């Protein structure tokens, strides 16, 4: 966030982001605003500054900013023979070496290897004379009349590329003056489906009707309105949880010069050279906007809890904050005996990059929900009340609908869908079975029976209230007539 572009905002509501103990979302002018709040870069930096200041006030935290951590090899780490602690070193912004004695663990939040364009060079060669800038460089473009008349080439089709395209359009750049290099078309999630107050009612669209193949499942989600694509004639091969609203998608569709020729290998002053050596001419003097950094680099899953360290990784698909918070809670919980016990309920869910990745991530998340932290009595209650969890923000109306039968219907869909999801995985991975059990059929059926009893009780309660109200009104009217 320190190096991100000035106009970046969250793609999903702020109530899913930040730390468990402090709200990020703003109340706004209406009670509903907090559920639509997409925090800006400045707001997020101020939020984490506030969180850190509160931690510092406790006297239990010290903060060393802008430091370079010196990653030790296993042989270089000094380990105490008395208490098992280890000494780790870093160089602060003044160039001074500092040492920290770690008695328990180091928290490694670098494993995801997040990259942003402003700190990483383009992933292709750029000829001298080409004006190639990171997305940060287009900030304020609407105020520069000379640049507004220029043509732009956006390289990259992920979240950053989408943000660049929308920013240029919103600042008066003619869609005809934008060329968008899109190595792979991506599925886009309609932001309506991650709306905190109603997301629990929309899960049935996500789980579908038990499609036999991954392609059928994605098409079903598209028909249900959850997934969208830029060009309905092109099958998206990329799935990375990018989220937009319908009106933003319509804006993106106004850009007609979209190049679907794979990745760029180099850019000259007159041509875009694609991988495979195909040359595509473009107008000399155009501004190339680099959005090619791999924001979330694909990394193999490793155990979260390891000797001497915690390696932060998602345990919910595309949701890192609840994952980090849960890791902290589990680490501090005295009910866990060892790391094997901790890792058993927190299986890493790699950020997907393709349709094939997505079905694996979905099933791993479902495993964590039904067989891991979501079902474990040591973590279930805390997880269900954590502000970072998507299902804690349901509105009163949503909650009533869930009790009135929607939740029971959802579990009926799950009984059909979960075996189908496993079939999709097997088909996508060439007959290979997922190495984790996704759910326990007996427990799922028992849960469904409990929910049915709750639904019957809810209707009984509502019916009783209406009957009491009806006879109460009749009695009151009778008294009035007597008077």
């Amino acid at each position: 966030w320190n190096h991100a572009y000035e106009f970046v905002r969250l793609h999903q509501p702020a109530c899913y982001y930040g730390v468990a103990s402090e709200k990020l979302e703003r109340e706004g002018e209406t009670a509903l605003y907090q559920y639509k709040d997409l925090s800006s870069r400045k707001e997020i930096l101020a939020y984490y500054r506030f969180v850190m200041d509160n931690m510092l006030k406790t006297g239990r935290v010290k903060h060393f900013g802008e430091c370079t951590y010196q990653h030790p090899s296993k042989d270089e780490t000094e380990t105490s023979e008395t208490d098992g602690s280890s000494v780790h070193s870093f160089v602060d912004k003044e160039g001074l070496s500092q040492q920290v004695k770690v008695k328990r663990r180091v928290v490694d939040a670098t494993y995801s290897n997040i990259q942003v364009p402003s700190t990483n060079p383009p992933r292709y060669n750029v000829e001298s004379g080409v004006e190639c800038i990171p997305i940060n460089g287009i900030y304020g473009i609407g105020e520069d009349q000379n640049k507004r008349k220029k043509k732009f080439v956006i390289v990259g089709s992920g979240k950053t590329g989408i943000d660049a395209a929308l920013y240029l359009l919103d600042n008066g750049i003619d869609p005809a003056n934008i060329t968008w290099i899109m190595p792979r078309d991506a599925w886009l999630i309609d932001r309506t489906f991650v709306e905190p107050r109603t997301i629990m009612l929309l899960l049935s669209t996500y789980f579908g009707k038990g499609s036999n193949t991954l392609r059928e499942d994605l098409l079903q989600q598209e028909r249900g309105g959850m997934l969208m694509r830029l060009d309905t004639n092109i099958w998206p091969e990329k799935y990375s949880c990018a989220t937009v609203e319908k009106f933003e998608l319509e804006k993106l569709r106004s850009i007609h010069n979209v190049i679907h020729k794979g990745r760029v290998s180099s850019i000259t002053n007159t041509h875009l050279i694609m991988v495979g050596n195909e040359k595509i001419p473009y107008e000399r003097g155009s501004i190339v906007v680099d959005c090619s950094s791999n924001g979330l680099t694909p990394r193999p899953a490793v155990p979260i809890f390891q000797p001497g360290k915690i390696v932060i990784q998602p345990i919910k698909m595309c949701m890192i904050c609840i994952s980090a918070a849960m890791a902290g809670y589990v680490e501090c919980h005295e009910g866990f005996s060892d790391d094997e016990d901790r890792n058993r309920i927190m299986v890493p869910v790699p950020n997907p990059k393709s349709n094939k990745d997505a079905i694996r991530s979905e099933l791993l998340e479902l495993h964590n929900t039904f067989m891991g932290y979501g079902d474990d009595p040591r973590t279930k209650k805390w997880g269900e009340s954590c502000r970072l969890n998507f299902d804690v923000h349901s509105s009163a109306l949503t909650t009533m609908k869930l009790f009135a039968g929607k939740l029971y219907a959802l579990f009926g869909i799950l009984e059909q869908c979960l075996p189908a999801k496993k079939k999709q995985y097997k088909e996508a991975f060439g007959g290979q079975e997922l190495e984790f059990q996704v759910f326990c059929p007996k427990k799922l059926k028992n849960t469904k029976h409990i929910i049915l009893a709750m639904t019957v009780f809810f209707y009984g309660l509502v019916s009783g209230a209406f009957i009491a109200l009806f006879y109460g009104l009749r009695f009151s009217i009778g008294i009035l007539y007597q008077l």
Side-chain angles (χ1 to χ4, degrees):
W1 287 104
N2 283 310
H3 300 288
Y5 38 103
E6 193 69 28
F7 54 91
V8 67
R9 302 189 79 89
L10 291 177
H11 266 211
Q12 295 184 359
C15 57
Y16 300 151
Y17 204 81
V19 299
S21 59
E22 189 68 45
K23 287 174 62 176
L24 170 61
E25 62 273 20
R26 299 172 296 168
E27 298 296 338
E29 296 178 359
T30 69
L32 302 183
Y33 181 82
Q34 61 181 311
Y35 301 115
K36 297 180 179 293
D37 187 16
L38 306 175
S39 301
S40 67
R41 172 180 176 271
K42 286 182 179 179
E43 288 169 337
I44 288 171
L45 290 175
Y47 169 83
Y48 279 112
R49 179 74 266 173
F50 177 76
V51 170
M52 178 57 72
D53 287 345
N54 283 343
M55 288 182 176
L56 294 172
K57 288 175 185 177
T58 67
R60 294 179 291 151
V61 174
K62 290 184 179 180
H63 178 229
F64 297 86
E66 300 178 61
C67 295
T68 301
Y69 176 68
Q70 297 175 321
H71 287 266
S73 67
K74 189 174 182 180
D75 297 332
E76 291 173 335
T77 305
E78 301 175 26
T79 304
S80 169
E81 295 181 1
T82 55
D83 61 5
S85 62
S86 58
V87 176
H88 293 255
S89 303
F90 59 88
V91 178
D92 64 22
K93 58 185 177 182
E94 306 296 334
L96 300 175
S97 181
Q98 304 277 356
Q99 289 189 326
V100 177
K101 186 177 182 181
V102 178
K103 290 186 177 180
R104 186 150 174 166
R105 301 189 202 251
V106 170
V107 178
D108 182 0
T110 67
Y111 186 72
S112 295
N113 193 27
I114 296 171
Q115 300 175 1
V116 293
S118 64
T119 58
N120 288 272
R123 301 166 70 187
Y124 44 86
N125 295 319
V126 180
E127 188 178 54
S128 176
V130 175
E131 186 176 1
C132 181
I133 59 175
I135 183 175
N136 307 57
I138 63 173
Y139 179 66
I141 199 82
E143 300 170 7
D144 190 327
Q145 295 299 321
N146 291 327
K147 285 190 175 181
R148 282 183 64 179
K149 296 175 184 177
K150 286 203 169 191
K151 296 197 173 182
F152 294 82
V153 177
I154 300 172
V155 182
S157 58
K159 176 186 183 300
T160 308
I162 290 171
D163 283 353
L166 290 172
Y167 186 81
L168 291 174
L169 293 170
D170 289 342
N171 281 270
I173 305 301
D174 190 328
N177 289 339
I178 300 174
T179 297
W180 194 354
I181 300 175
M182 190 170 293
R184 290 188 302 164
D185 278 62
W187 288 109
L188 305 173
I189 298 173
D190 183 355
R191 192 170 288 125
T192 304
F193 277 76
V194 294
E195 214 279 350
R197 294 166 301 150
T198 57
I199 188 170
M200 288 297 291
L201 298 176
L202 301 172
L203 287 177
S204 56
T205 302
Y206 170 69
F207 287 116
K209 298 177 181 179
S211 305
N212 290 320
T213 66
L214 178 56
R215 187 182 183 91
E216 290 174 8
D217 188 55
L218 292 169
L219 286 171
Q220 182 274 323
Q221 291 181 47
E222 183 182 32
R223 288 192 295 270
M226 177 182 169
L227 293 181
M228 307 182 293
R229 44 179 152 166
L230 194 65
D231 188 334
T232 55
N233 295 313
I234 297 176
W235 179 253
E237 296 292 346
K238 183 177 180 180
Y239 192 120
S240 56
C241 301
T243 307
V244 298
E245 295 190 45
K246 285 188 175 70
F247 77 89
E248 292 175 321
L249 179 62
E250 291 308 312
K251 285 183 182 179
L252 295 173
R253 284 174 173 166
S254 69
I255 301 173
H256 297 298
N257 191 16
V258 181
I259 298 173
H260 305 275
K261 301 283 187 178
R263 298 189 183 281
V264 176
S265 64
S266 62
I267 298 180
T268 71
N269 282 281
T270 56
H271 287 81
L272 307 168
I273 315 298
M274 313 306 289
V275 172
N277 211 36
E278 181 176 357
K279 296 182 180 181
I280 300 174
Y282 76 102
E283 186 171 310
R284 190 184 188 96
S286 297
I287 298 175
V288 177
V289 184
D290 178 47
C291 303
S292 65
S293 290
N294 205 338
L296 293 171
T297 307
R299 304 297 303 273
V302 297
I304 291 174
F305 296 94
Q306 300 181 23
K309 65 179 178 179
I310 298 174
V311 183
I312 300 297
Q313 296 162 89
I315 56 171
K316 286 178 76 74
M317 188 169 165
C318 303
M319 295 185 76
I320 191 61
C321 292
I322 180 62
S323 307
M326 182 62 76
Y329 181 78
V330 169
E331 171 69 2
C332 296
H333 200 294
E334 295 179 352
F336 291 90
S337 56
D338 52 34
D339 282 351
E340 184 179 353
D341 190 17
R342 296 181 182 94
N343 285 320
R344 180 185 60 78
I345 68 162
M346 292 184 64
V347 174
V349 180
N351 292 300
K353 289 296 181 182
S354 67
N355 299 337
K356 186 177 174 181
D357 292 341
I359 186 61
R360 178 171 175 80
S361 295
E362 286 175 18
L363 288 173
L364 291 175
E365 178 182 346
L366 289 168
H367 163 82
N368 284 336
T369 301
F370 292 116
M371 306 292 291
Y373 69 85
D375 185 60
D376 193 291
R378 295 167 294 184
T379 51
K380 184 176 182 179
K381 186 175 180 181
W382 184 86
E384 288 175 346
S385 62
C386 179
R387 65 167 286 269
L388 301 171
N389 210 356
F390 68 80
D391 56 355
V392 303
H393 300 281
S394 295
S395 66
L397 181 59
T398 293
T399 303
M400 286 181 65
K401 287 181 177 180
L402 289 171
F403 278 115
K406 291 287 187 180
L407 191 58
Y408 178 74
L410 176 61
F411 270 77
I413 291 171
L414 282 173
E415 281 188 307
Q416 301 175 33
C417 166
L418 294 180
K421 289 278 185 186
K422 292 176 70 176
K423 286 182 182 178
Q424 294 167 24
Y425 179 91
K426 191 173 181 179
E427 178 251 346
F429 283 83
Q432 181 183 341
E433 297 275 2
L434 184 73
E435 65 271 31
F436 297 97
Q437 184 179 356
V438 177
F439 68 103
C440 173
K442 185 177 179 181
K443 188 175 285 188
L444 189 67
K445 189 164 288 187
N446 289 341
T447 304
K448 188 181 175 186
H449 290 156
I450 292 170
I451 292 171
L452 177 60
M454 290 168 57
T455 303
V456 171
F457 176 76
F458 173 79
Y459 276 108
L461 197 65
V462 172
S463 300
F466 273 111
I467 291 169
L469 180 63
F470 174 74
Y471 282 105
L473 286 172
R474 283 192 63 181
F475 178 76
S476 299
I477 291 169
I479 294 294
L480 287 172
Y481 274 121
Q482 290 178 11
L483 294 175

